[in-house]
Structure formats: C-alpha cells, structure tokens
Amino acid sequence: MVVANRWRSSEDDLPADFEDNRDVHYAALGQPQDAREFITALQGKLRTSLDRFEQALAEGTTGGVPIVKKHDEPWIRVSPCGKQEEPESPGGDQGGDRAALGHDRPAGHPEVRRVRHRLR
C-alpha cells in the first residue's frame, strides 16, 4: 500500500550503526547534536527570512505575491502551480531497499554529500 510508508517507523530508516556513529552522521548532515543549538539556529533562520519578507513587502518587491484580506485578516495569496510529476522512488517500489536509499554508505560517501548539499 502506497500510503503505508507514511506511518512506518522512522527508526527502521536509520543505518544499523547509527547509535555507534551518531556524531559522524550528524557531522555529515552539518547539524548539531544538541537540540537547543539546533532550535536556536532554526529560529535565527526563520527570523532572518521573516525580516527579509517584511522588507520585501514594504518595498513592493515580493515578486507579485500579494497580501489580501480574508475574513478581515491579512492572508498571503500564492498562485496555484500546475500538477507536478511524481518523483521516482529508488528501486521503483515503495521506497526501495536500504542499499538503494544509501543506508549502506558511510557519511563521507559522494552520494551522501550530494544529498546533504541539496538539503541546504
């Protein structure tokens, strides 16, 4: 069942050596292990993005994204985009096997670095 992957355990997706090499995996992702440090950095990025958006609204440089009123509240109107193609799943099945997902690769492997780069 296609939607079954939505409810699967995320623990099953971790590499078998995750606990032993947690520091290596976090370093490969460029993320801190400390939750407070992660949240503080994320809040800083959010504040910066919201400040840039507020400035763009004031300058009228939002690229055509209008702020409208809906139920007497301000709303951001975003034009709908067309239907996007479904991404290919590794192995062509419901998520592929662990090797197809790269779980058998060390954190410094070129494919892992490529994925990390795309996430930034």
Side-chain angles (χ1 to χ4, degrees):
M1 181 181 281
V2 174
V3 293
N5 277 336
R6 183 183 310 173
W7 309 112
R8 62 191 267 173
S9 171
S10 59
E11 295 294 321
D12 295 341
D13 294 330
L14 293 174
D17 68 341
F18 183 79
E19 284 301 324
D20 296 334
N21 296 304
R22 180 182 288 266
D23 56 338
V24 174
H25 294 296
Y26 274 76
L29 293 171
Q31 297 296 335
Q33 291 188 51
D34 180 51
R36 287 189 192 123
E37 187 179 336
F38 175 80
I39 291 169
T40 300
L42 190 59
Q43 287 173 333
K45 289 178 184 178
L46 179 60
R47 278 191 201 95
T48 300
S49 296
L50 289 173
D51 289 344
R52 287 179 40 216
F53 182 63
E54 187 175 20
Q55 183 178 358
L57 283 173
E59 295 172 355
T61 59
T62 59
V65 177
I67 303 297
V68 297
K69 289 277 187 173
K70 186 173 182 179
H71 306 290
D72 293 323
E73 295 287 329
W75 284 66
I76 300 171
R77 180 185 297 164
V78 179
S79 300
C81 60
K83 183 178 179 181
Q84 298 179 359
E85 292 183 29
E86 288 289 325
E88 287 186 35
S89 64
D93 62 355
Q94 315 282 321
D97 62 6
R98 294 182 70 77
L101 292 172
H103 290 295
D104 62 336
R105 296 179 178 95
H109 190 278
E111 288 185 30
V112 174
R113 288 195 307 265
R114 198 169 28 251
V115 168
R116 185 183 74 220
H117 177 72
R118 282 192 304 232
L119 293 175
R120 290 185 182 171

